Amino acid sequence: METGKSLGYLLGQSLRAYKSLLVETCRKQEIELTFEQFVILQKLHSNCDIIQQDLANHLQKDKSIIVRQINGLLEKQLVTRHTNLDDKRKKNLVLTPKGHLLLTELKDIVSEITGKLLSGIPENEVTIFRNILAKIHENGAAVVNWGNCHPSSKY
């Protein structure tokens, strides 16, 4: 199926569909969480102790934007902020038990959304798609300096 659309457009539209479904499903289940906060929780889950600057670099977001998102997560008691032992100016972020519990709840939601989005696509094509996305990410990471922060979890 040739769409004639650019790869960037298709990836962007696919991400928008995923984000919309996730946010809408969370809203219906009375889970107050933005997509950006979800991504931060996922990253903290895969990297148990990360500093704010590395998180901002990984997400390619301005540090002030990340701080606002983190402050929202702090208010919801989903993360805690600790002084870095090596550099007192840096703050490490850690998931709270409440944050871990929320991610456990979201696992089923994410699985359902993924199932909807991949409906009708044979498993072998999904595997190929995941491999292609991983390679695109790998190629992008080689070009963009993300420091020590490479995603290791499936969003």
Side-chain angles (χ1 to χ4, degrees), residues 9-26 35 109-110 112-114 116-118 155:
Y9 176 82
L10 292 171
L11 288 172
Q13 290 300 103
S14 298
L15 181 58
R16 278 191 259 316
Y18 181 83
K19 287 169 74 170
S20 295
L21 280 169
L22 179 66
V23 170
E24 180 62 21
T25 304
C26 285
F35 180 76
I109 292 171
V110 168
E112 180 183 326
I113 290 168
T114 302
K116 286 179 183 177
L117 293 173
L118 297 176
Y155 291 85

Side-chain angles (χ1 to χ4, degrees), residues 40-142:
I40 290 170
L41 291 176
Q42 283 283 354
K43 183 59 187 168
L44 293 178
H45 179 70
S46 68
N47 188 345
C48 297
D49 197 10
I50 188 171
I51 62 171
Q52 290 178 183
Q53 185 61 55
D54 286 345
L55 184 62
N57 292 344
H58 170 72
L59 298 176
Q60 295 181 305
K61 300 280 186 185
D62 185 78
K63 189 176 176 186
S64 63
I65 293 170
I66 295 299
V67 168
R68 279 194 300 274
Q69 295 293 336
I70 291 167
N71 286 341
L73 293 170
L74 287 166
E75 288 173 20
K76 295 172 187 171
Q77 301 176 344
L78 299 173
V79 300
T80 58
R81 191 185 275 146
H82 302 285
T83 302
N84 184 286
L85 297 176
D86 298 327
D87 185 343
K88 303 294 184 211
R89 297 168 297 171
K90 296 179 179 179
K91 302 292 182 195
N92 289 58
L93 301 168
V94 180
L95 279 178
T96 64
K98 186 176 176 182
H100 282 285
L101 182 62
L102 179 60
L103 278 176
T104 300
E105 292 175 33
L106 288 170
K107 187 177 184 177
D108 291 336
I109 292 171
V110 168
S111 180
E112 180 183 326
I113 290 168
T114 302
K116 286 179 183 177
L117 293 173
L118 297 176
S119 176
I121 302 172
E123 188 59 40
N124 66 321
E125 290 183 24
V126 172
T127 300
I128 292 167
F129 178 63
R130 286 183 188 274
N131 291 338
I132 290 169
L133 286 176
K135 186 62 179 172
I136 289 170
H137 174 77
E138 183 183 312
N139 291 343

